[in-house]
């Protein structure tokens, strides 16, 4: 393993072979199911990692912010959906993007386009709330749906492309059967709404969170899927049942800075500005990461008994068995799988591959304000 | 107010007048108490904001990472304490810093210097756990304290400077009386330990979290204080009783992207990658921010009934009274005070002052790895 065991600060390790395997598998799933894979790039936010997707034939992508759209357009991506609700403050930057690439926006509010005109044509997707209750039209609100569709009708600058949903409530599922239930309900609901909007012309359906896309064999009625997290996965996806531990492609390497045998704790450099404060319940405890064994060329088995249990800005408190605390020295580094790889990557701002290469990411504070 | 009401994305507003008032007041408090103010720069991480401290006579600073030490050394700071436990992986970068500036490290483990030699002399502070139970020596562990002091004794490259503590458990205090109790206990405990180490020569005492430094009139026995958060404050400090709402100097401006009158909710652009997932309990609810009224030149009164109650990567869900939901339009921006300004600033990566100026910060992914 090219990673020095003596680090000056936390490092986000990326096992490129695992990540490439994850994306090859998802590309094959999409091909077998006959749907377009339009992966969400908010997870990795990296030109270099994005290029791995091109190698498996991906040409259309999803992003979650204007800054991210601009960052990937810069690297030659020519078909981008901004899967975040459009509002009038976005107009100028959307127009500039639509002049360069095939650009899609998402509408979650019938007044979002009030007073807005684009000089370059823009695709629009109507956002449907299939159960997450974050944004999107209530599928039972027929008047609301017609009003949302009407806000696009007859416009030359905006083309109604289809219905888009994010079944984020799949994150509350546990196991294949519960994920499958969310998946089936999502697609049957969107199919019904498409029938109700038959007068609007042919509409596509776009779905695809990582849990359902990792499990489902078919996507009846859908034209494209938009999973993102699957390129790295994380402990949350493992807990849901969307991946195995061996699929998780990122791990944080954190130097040990103090030992407290009396409390059964180690302290590492690795806090909220590295892992984010996203936590999950694990065996009745709130955790921010679980350790994995270091191997000669990366990492291997999970150590579910070595847990990140508290974080402050730079410090991570690790609950560990007595033998681990006793044999550890200041400066040793421990490896942790993150609870939420999207937020961990966003916080870290770069990757180090197991071959020792540094991969950049979109800068913090990017964008026009 | 120079801020456009039509934003394309979330913006971290900085009321420079409030921040300068906060730091002038702290400089006066330190002067009146006869202690050195060595402010913690992890809160703002900005060359520009750092220069405001110079104007009130600050010459020594505290940082929480090597990257931050390097960033501020670059801007001419010549006396820097890295208030994070030293471990052997830091050796090279500490040595390079110590060759340029007066540099202090913190020791929390008797083996932290094993095998380490510096070519440039370094100051060392012994970290004492005064009640936070994160890092530092247990004050009742007399053997441990002697071992820690012995790890520095007789070295030419490391000079024992004093005892350093962070009374982070003051964050659990509510009101002036509880904060004062933490403060008195901290200083009496450190005074006792200094007496026990009388054989080590004259030792300084360094303390100073924002709650105690905002409240205490005197710091008996201490040579310096190291508060950081006070430059901006936040809802957590307000809840503790360390500041008034009117002292909070940063607010997030977030465009509204969707409205859900049936649920009494708005959705804004402003999620975990902007606010961080640090939350606090407020009137029995877990919140990530509270709204403030927009005024002609910034912001004013708190709207405790308009609350950020859920965050995902980019979205914030706002619980709001019916009248607020009804009169809001997509693209309107709402202003929120953050729960934890240090993490919000770290996530955002830059500030916009009320005069419309953009202030930069240390880059994401800074540092040498």
């Amino acid at each position: 393993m090219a990673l020095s065991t003596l680090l000056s600060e936390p490092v986000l390790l990326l096992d490129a072979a695992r990540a490439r395997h994850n994306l090859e598998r998802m590309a094959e799933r999409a091909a077998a199911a006959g749907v377009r894979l339009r992966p969400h790039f908010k997870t990795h936010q990296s030109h270099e990692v994005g290029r791995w997707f091109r190698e498996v034939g991906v040409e259309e992508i999803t992003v979650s912010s204007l800054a991210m759209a601009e960052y990937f357009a810069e690297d030659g991506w020519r078909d981008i959906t901004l899967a975040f609700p459009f509002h009038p403050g976005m107009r100028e930057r959307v127009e500039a993007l639509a002049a360069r690439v095939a650009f899609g926006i998402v509408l979650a509010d019938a007044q979002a386009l009030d007073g807005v005109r684009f000089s370059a044509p823009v695709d629009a997707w109507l956002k449907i709330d299939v159960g997450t209750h974050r944004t999107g039209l209530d599928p039972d609100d027929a008047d609301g749906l017609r009003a949302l569709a009407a806000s696009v009708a007859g416009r030359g600058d905006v083309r109604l492309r289809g219905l888009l949903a994010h079944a984020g409530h799949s994150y509350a599922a546990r196991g294949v059967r519960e994920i499958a239930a969310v998946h089936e309900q999502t697609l049957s609901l969107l199919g019904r709404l498409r029938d109700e909007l038959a007068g609007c012309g042919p509409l596509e359906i776009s779905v695809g969170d990582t849990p359902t896309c990792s499990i489902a064999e078919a996507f009846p009625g859908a034209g494209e899927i938009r999973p993102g997290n699957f390129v790295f996965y994380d402990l949350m996806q493992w807990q849901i049942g969307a991946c195995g531990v061996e699929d998780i492609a990122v791990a944080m390497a954190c130097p040990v800075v103090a030992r407290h045998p009396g409390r059964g704790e180690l302290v590492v450099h690795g806090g909220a500005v590295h892992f984010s404060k996203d936590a999950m319940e694990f065996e009745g405890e709130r955790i921010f990461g679980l350790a994995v064994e270091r191997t000669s060329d990366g990492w291997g088995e999970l150590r579910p008994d070595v847990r990140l249990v508290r974080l402050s800005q730079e410090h991570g408190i690790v609950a560990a068995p007595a033998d681990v605390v006793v044999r550890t020295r200041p400066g040793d580094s421990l490896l942790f799988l993150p609870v939420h790889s999207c937020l961990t990557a966003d916080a870290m701002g770069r990757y180090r591959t197991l071959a020792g290469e540094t991969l950049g990411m979109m800068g913090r504070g990017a964008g026009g304000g």
Side-chain angles (χ1 to χ4, degrees), chain A:
Chain A
M1 183 175 178
L3 173 73
S4 162
T5 55
L6 206 58
L7 300 171
S8 66
E9 64 187 358
V11 169
L12 179 55
L13 298 177
L14 169 53
D15 185 326
R18 293 189 200 213
R20 283 168 175 270
H21 178 69
N22 291 340
L23 64 89
E24 280 159 17
R25 191 170 47 187
M26 191 62 80
E28 283 161 17
R29 295 181 69 79
V35 292
R36 179 191 312 128
L37 175 59
R38 185 190 284 280
H40 207 314
F41 276 17
K42 73 173 184 174
T43 301
H44 59 81
Q45 297 182 42
S46 166
H47 282 174
E48 287 90 338
V49 177
R51 288 174 206 151
W52 299 347
F53 287 78
R54 281 210 188 104
E55 293 173 19
V56 297
V58 168
E59 301 201 346
E60 291 111 336
I61 64 169
T62 309
V63 298
S64 61
S65 70
L66 285 165
M68 215 180 289
E70 290 154 355
Y71 172 80
F72 284 109
E74 203 62 49
D75 203 43
W77 293 93
R78 287 292 166 260
D79 194 324
I80 303 176
T81 301
L82 173 51
F84 184 82
F86 176 83
H87 62 82
M90 289 182 176
R91 193 195 63 78
E92 276 184 47
R93 289 169 74 186
V94 165
E95 194 164 76
L97 280 157
R100 299 168 66 189
V101 308
F103 198 71
I105 61 171
V106 165
L107 299 176
D109 194 300
Q111 295 187 357
L113 288 171
D114 280 6
V116 171
R117 284 280 147 191
F118 299 109
S119 59
V122 170
D123 280 350
W125 297 84
L126 308 186
K127 179 75 188 289
I128 309 299
D129 177 10
V130 292
T132 310
H133 308 321
R134 189 173 64 182
T135 61
L137 263 281
D138 178 344
D140 294 326
D141 178 7
D143 290 347
L145 185 67
R146 275 189 295 271
L148 190 60
S151 76
V152 193
R155 293 181 65 127
D157 58 339
V158 181
R159 179 175 71 123
L160 179 55
R161 180 87 183 263
L163 305 176
L164 180 144
H166 174 70
H169 54 311
S170 67
Y171 279 62
R174 291 294 177 271
V176 171
R177 194 178 300 185
E178 285 183 39
I179 298 171
V182 168
H183 179 62
E184 282 159 32
Q185 180 212 13
T186 296
L187 287 175
S188 92
L189 195 156
L190 291 170
R192 172 172 70 75
L193 296 183
R194 176 160 60 179
D195 293 345
E196 288 178 19
L197 291 175
C200 294
L203 295 180
E204 273 191 72
I205 286 176
S206 172
V207 294
D209 50 287
T210 281
T212 62
C213 291
S214 299
I215 298 303
E217 299 289 327
F219 300 83
E224 67 174 24
I225 59 172
R226 308 185 323 280
N229 178 281
F230 73 94
V231 61
F232 298 152
Y233 288 115
D234 51 32
L235 291 177
M236 179 62 76
Q237 296 292 337
W238 169 66
Q239 186 175 58
I240 292 168
C243 70
V245 166
E246 68 283 3
D247 298 319
I248 301 176
V250 286
M252 289 282 290
C254 298
V256 172
V257 302
R259 301 163 299 167
H260 297 283
R263 301 202 296 266
E265 287 180 352
L266 297 166
V267 183
V268 295
H269 191 186
V273 298
H274 310 99
F275 284 93
S276 103
K277 282 223 171 176
D278 221 0
M280 72 182 212
E281 294 289 319
F282 178 72
E283 297 181 351
E285 198 170 21
R286 196 159 170 267
I287 61 144
F288 299 88
L290 295 176
V292 278
E293 295 285 356
R294 178 189 290 274
T295 64
S296 59
D297 59 349
W299 66 87
E301 295 296 302
L302 194 69
R303 284 293 310 242
D305 52 347
V306 180
R307 307 173 181 182
L308 266 175
V309 292
R310 294 197 306 284
L311 299 180
S312 50
Q313 187 160 345
E314 300 275 350
H315 300 74
I317 310 295
V318 181
D323 65 304
V324 175
V325 177
V326 164
R327 72 163 183 260
T328 303
R329 293 287 169 271
D332 289 354
S333 57
L334 297 179
L335 307 187
F336 294 93
L337 301 181
V339 166
H340 191 169
S341 62
C342 306
L343 294 184
T344 300
D346 181 82
M348 290 298 292
R350 61 178 171 184
Y351 307 94
R352 189 178 306 168
T353 68
L354 297 183
E357 195 188 358
T358 295
L359 305 185
M361 284 177 67
M362 189 172 96
R364 190 173 69 156

